[in-house]
Amino acid sequence: MSDVYGIKHLRPWAPATYQIRVEGVLDESWSDRFGGMRIEVMTRKDQSSVTTLTGRLMDQSELTGVLNGFAEMHLPILSVECVSLENENTEAL
């Protein structure tokens, strides 16, 4: 993990915790398909639903797989956020 002036940098090959929001309802039973992420559904004032998935993914390749899963299910992606980085001992080659 690069650390310049106390700032950690996200690396494509490093694990990180992500929070992803999609339009619509995704049942908790889909957690395994989406990397074991925790699934929460909230209802907006207009009665539409937003599903939030939060969890640790091994790298951005796994993140891409999760996002592709939403595309296959025709669930619009509202946001993707890296909420925490993890320690990494491997430097860029």
Side-chain angles (χ1 to χ4, degrees):
M1 177 76 60
S2 180
D3 188 356
V4 178
Y5 305 110
I7 300 171
K8 293 182 180 178
H9 296 276
L10 180 62
R11 300 290 183 211
W13 57 84
T17 301
Y18 293 92
Q19 187 170 74
I20 304 167
R21 289 186 177 87
V22 296
E23 184 86 29
V25 176
L26 188 63
D27 189 81
E28 290 180 21
S29 64
W30 286 89
S31 178
D32 285 343
R33 174 174 170 143
F34 293 106
M37 299 181 88
R38 186 179 74 238
I39 297 174
E40 299 177 73
V41 179
M42 72 166 227
T43 304
R44 296 175 175 152
K45 290 181 183 179
D46 68 358
Q47 299 306 307
S48 64
S49 298
V50 173
T51 299
T52 302
L53 293 90
T54 306
R56 179 181 184 269
L57 299 176
M58 293 307 297
D59 54 28
Q60 287 194 350
S61 176
E62 187 175 14
L63 173 63
T64 299
V66 169
L67 297 176
N68 285 338
F70 297 132
E72 291 170 4
M73 296 176 72
H74 305 284
L75 291 173
I77 299 167
L78 300 173
S79 66
V80 178
E81 181 180 3
C82 178
V83 294
S84 76
L85 302 176
E86 301 197 16
N87 290 335
E88 180 196 347
N89 295 326
T90 306
E91 290 297 321
L93 299 177

